[in-house]
């Protein structure tokens, strides 16, 4: 719970919403979060893309590709989706209102620009930029209070803009970096120092830091299909974006800041694996720019084929008229398994929820709750009164060693004199198999071995799960 406790801004806002709406809990509106966040992102993306193009076809195609390619699943009611919206808002304001005087050069000359490109926004003076920094500071504070990774992404994005003449502004970067460090060294100090302690192991480990998850291979038809679709979606967007970057060099030159911002998170692969999620977060933060350039590969500009013969222009227009709808339909088809392929992990039957609630309500204060993973309903119910050990959230080899004698493995990890309960549910079974935490059949072995062991007593058994209590030698 350290990340939630030390970056509680989103949860404080959510508590305020619950009181303002007069509802019992966030369950009254949480299912609307993907729709609301998606709608709130629309004007931000439009503002971002309109900074670099005057072609509304390119703007809306980029927005559409972004929505279809955003399969990462961080749009639920959680800190990342909220902080991501604020992150893009800050970048949109910076790219429109932080242009240095005399830095545009020929990028305001229509004859030099791509026909679809927008001229560089008007320059701003030092005083105007200082006012903008003051206006953006509360938003940056909100980002730092809500999420631990997004401030890092914001800082590396602002740093990347220093490589352009247009946005060589050290002031905003200094403010963003100071606010991030101030939070990390105060409110977030425990987790921040713990993360620094792991850098020696993760620094430079590109292969490990860029892998999906932290265990074995995905298993099961849903996760396997979703994994293949994820890879194909990434490749499709990356290939289209690369085509535009090289084929429409004038547009790339004028939209270089957006390209740099999208590529800025890539070096984080060198630093840390972020619990096996760095691959997904780098993709998420690089997606706005990638979607824009992917759209540029599909939406032709008449001037881009200037000088070509009439026959060549006709052929290119016909190819583009087919490529655009085909690509969008293909991305829509890929979005479905990419986004919904793990639905069995996300849906929990009401009977399972009730089983977990009863088990946790029965546990005395200070008890230890053990589960294969924390991905099951009500896993953190009464989290402030109980301890938790999600024992299978580790490397697969260690889990295979655990399965050799699961009862002894767990019993040895329970502190003497501690009341301990093991909760194993259907959702955990699906999740551990789908994420490769346990080998095929491993969860069934775990459940059967613990139920048969004299070290544990079955408290309640149900088709959707089982609850066991550890037989402490002290009792």
């Amino acid at each position: 719970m350290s990340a939630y406790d030390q970056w509680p801004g989103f949860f404080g806002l959510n508590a305020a919403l619950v009181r303002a709406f007069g509802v019992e809990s966030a369950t009254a509106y949480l299912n609307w979060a993907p729709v609301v966040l998606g709608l709130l992102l629309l004007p931000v993306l439009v503002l971002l893309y309109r900074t670099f193009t005057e072609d509304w076809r390119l703007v809306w195609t980029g927005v559409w590709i972004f929505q279809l390619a955003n399969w990462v699943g961080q749009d639920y009611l959680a800190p990342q989706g909220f902080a991501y919206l604020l992150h893009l808002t800050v970048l949109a304001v910076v790219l429109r209102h932080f242009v240095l005087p005399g830095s545009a050069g020929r990028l305001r000359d229509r004859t030099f620009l791509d026909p679809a490109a927008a001229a560089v926004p008007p320059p701003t003076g030092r005083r105007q930029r200082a006012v903008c920094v003051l206006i953006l500071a509360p938003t940056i504070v909100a980002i730092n209070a809500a999420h631990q990774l997004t401030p890092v992404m914001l800082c590396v994005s602002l740093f990347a803009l220093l490589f352009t003449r247009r946005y060589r502004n050290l002031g905003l970067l200094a403010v963003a970096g100071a606010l991030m460090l101030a939070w990390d060294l105060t409110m977030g100090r425990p987790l921040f120092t713990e993360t620094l302690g792991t850098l020696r192991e993760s620094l430079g480990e590109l292969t490990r830091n860029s892998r999906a998850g932290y265990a074995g291979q995905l298993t099961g038809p849903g996760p396997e299909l979703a994994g293949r679709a994820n890879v194909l979606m990434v490749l499709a967007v990356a290939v289209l974006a690369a085509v535009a970057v090289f084929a429409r060099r004038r547009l790339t030159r004028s939209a270089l800041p957006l390209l740099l911002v999208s590529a800025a998170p890539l070096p984080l692969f060198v630093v840390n694996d972020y619990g096996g999620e760095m691959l997904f977060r780098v993709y998420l933060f690089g997606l706005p720019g990638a979607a824009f350039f992917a759209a540029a590969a599909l939406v032709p500009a008449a001037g881009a084929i200037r000088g070509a013969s009439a026959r060549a222009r006709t052929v290119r227009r016909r190819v583009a008229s087919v490529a655009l709808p085909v690509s969008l339909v293909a991305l829509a088809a890929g979005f479905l398994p990419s986004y919904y392929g793990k639905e069995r992990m996300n849906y929990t039957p009401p009977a399972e929820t009730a089983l977990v609630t009863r088990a946790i309500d029965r546990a005395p204060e200070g008890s230890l709750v053990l589960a294969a993973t924390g991905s099951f309903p009500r896993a953190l119910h009464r989290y402030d009164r109980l301890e938790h050990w999600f024992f299978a959230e580790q490397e697969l080899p260690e889990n295979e060693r655990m399965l050799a004698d699961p009862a002894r493995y767990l019993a040895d990890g329970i502190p003497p004199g501690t009341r301990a309960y093991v909760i194993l549910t259907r959702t955990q079974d699906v999740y551990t198999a789908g994420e490769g935490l346990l080998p095929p059949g491993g969860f069934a072995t775990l459940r059967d071995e613990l139920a048969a062991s004299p070290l544990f007593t079955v408290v309640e058994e149900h088709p959707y799960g089982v609850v066991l209590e550890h037989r402490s030698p002290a009792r």
Side-chain angles (χ1 to χ4, degrees):
M1 296 296 295
S2 55
Y4 305 129
D5 288 336
Q6 296 163 34
W7 282 266
F10 173 80
F11 301 105
L13 173 63
N14 190 60
L17 288 176
V18 168
R19 293 184 180 183
F21 292 151
V23 294
E24 183 179 350
S25 69
T27 55
Y29 56 81
L30 65 85
N31 285 335
W32 288 96
V35 177
V36 172
L37 284 174
L39 291 175
L40 291 176
L41 277 173
L42 287 179
V44 179
L45 290 170
V46 169
L47 179 64
L48 195 63
Y49 294 161
R50 281 287 291 169
T51 304
F52 300 103
T53 182
E54 295 179 347
D55 189 341
W56 279 102
R57 299 173 306 158
L58 179 52
V59 170
W60 287 111
T61 302
V63 170
W64 186 232
I65 290 176
F66 174 88
Q67 297 288 4
L68 291 178
N70 186 12
W71 49 261
V72 179
Q74 291 298 324
D75 53 357
Y76 62 103
L77 191 68
Q80 176 65 98
F82 171 73
Y84 184 67
L85 173 65
L86 299 183
H87 165 84
L88 289 183
T89 301
V90 171
L91 291 181
V93 173
V94 169
L95 292 172
R96 290 192 73 89
H97 298 290
F98 278 75
V99 178
L100 292 177
S103 62
R106 290 190 294 174
L107 292 178
R108 289 199 175 94
D109 184 356
R110 293 299 326 174
T111 61
F112 181 74
L113 295 174
D114 182 283
V120 175
T124 53
R126 183 173 300 176
R127 180 177 298 179
Q128 186 177 352
R129 292 194 301 274
V131 171
C132 286
V133 170
L134 292 176
I135 294 173
L136 289 177
T139 303
I140 298 174
V141 170
I143 294 173
N144 279 276
H147 197 244
Q148 67 273 28
L149 180 64
T150 305
V152 178
M153 293 294 190
L154 179 61
C155 286
V156 297
S157 297
L158 295 175
F159 178 77
L161 290 176
L162 298 182
F163 291 93
T164 68
R165 291 182 58 200
R166 278 172 275 173
Y167 300 100
R168 201 164 291 166
N169 293 284
L170 290 172
L172 182 61
L173 175 60
V175 169
L179 290 174
M180 179 181 67
L181 287 175
W183 190 279
D184 289 345
L185 295 176
T186 54
M187 292 290 294
R189 182 180 177 85
L191 185 58
F192 178 67
T193 54
E194 179 184 333
T195 303
L196 290 179
T198 64
L199 289 183
R200 181 179 298 179
E201 300 176 2
S202 61
L203 196 63
E205 296 290 336
L206 285 172
T207 303
R208 187 176 71 176
N209 293 344
S210 60
R211 65 180 175 176
Y214 49 82
Q217 297 296 318
L218 302 179
T219 58
E224 289 177 353
L225 175 62
R228 295 191 191 99
N230 296 163
V231 173
L232 292 175
M233 292 284 279
V234 172
L235 290 176
V237 174
V239 169
L240 288 172
V243 168
V245 167
F246 290 104
R248 301 184 66 171
R249 287 188 290 274
R250 289 188 176 184
L251 180 63
T252 302
R253 194 175 295 116
S254 61
L256 179 62
L258 184 57
L259 180 63
L260 291 175
V261 164
S262 297
L266 288 173
L268 293 180
F269 281 133
V270 180
V271 180
N272 195 268
D273 67 346
Y274 196 61
E277 292 191 22
M278 186 59 77
L279 175 65
F280 304 114
R281 304 307 170 98
V282 168
Y283 173 76
L284 177 64
F285 282 88
L287 185 56
F292 175 83
F293 285 102
L298 298 172
V299 178
I305 55 177
R306 187 181 299 157
S309 65
R311 179 180 177 83
R313 290 196 298 268
T314 301
V315 170
R316 293 182 186 182
R317 288 195 187 97
R318 289 179 177 176
V319 170
S321 65
V322 174
L324 178 58
V326 168
S327 298
L328 293 182
V329 170
L331 288 173
F335 172 80
L336 295 176
S338 294
Y339 191 82
Y340 294 105
K342 297 181 179 180
E343 193 65 14
R344 289 190 71 228
M345 296 182 188
N346 299 327
Y347 172 75
T348 56
E352 179 181 337
T353 303
L355 172 70
V356 174
T357 303
R358 288 194 301 271
I360 295 181
D361 281 341
R362 283 195 298 257
E365 185 170 341
S367 298
L368 175 65
V369 174
L370 293 81
T373 173
S375 296
F376 66 99
R378 307 278 282 176
L380 297 178
H381 175 47
R382 296 180 66 208
Y383 80 94
D384 57 332
R385 300 175 181 274
L386 304 172
E387 299 295 328
H388 299 83
W389 178 20
F390 303 130
F391 54 83
E393 292 186 348
Q394 56 190 357
E395 300 285 350
L396 181 59
E398 181 64 18
N399 282 333
E400 291 175 336
R401 188 174 76 84
M402 179 264 294
L403 288 175
D405 189 355
R408 175 53 56 188
Y409 183 95
L410 297 183
D412 289 345
I414 298 172
T418 301
R419 295 284 293 272
Y421 299 86
V422 181
I423 302 176
L424 302 175
T425 67
R426 165 206 163 274
T427 304
Q428 293 178 52
D429 187 3
V430 174
Y431 186 88
T432 53
E435 293 294 329
L437 291 170
L438 297 176
F443 192 85
T445 299
L446 173 67
R447 176 172 172 161
D448 293 343
E449 290 285 338
L450 291 180
S453 172
L455 298 175
F456 293 89
T457 302
V458 175
V459 176
E460 183 177 358
E461 193 165 10
H462 191 278
Y464 289 109
V466 61
V467 179
L468 307 101
E469 182 177 5
H470 175 232
R471 291 179 175 175
S472 176
R475 292 189 287 120

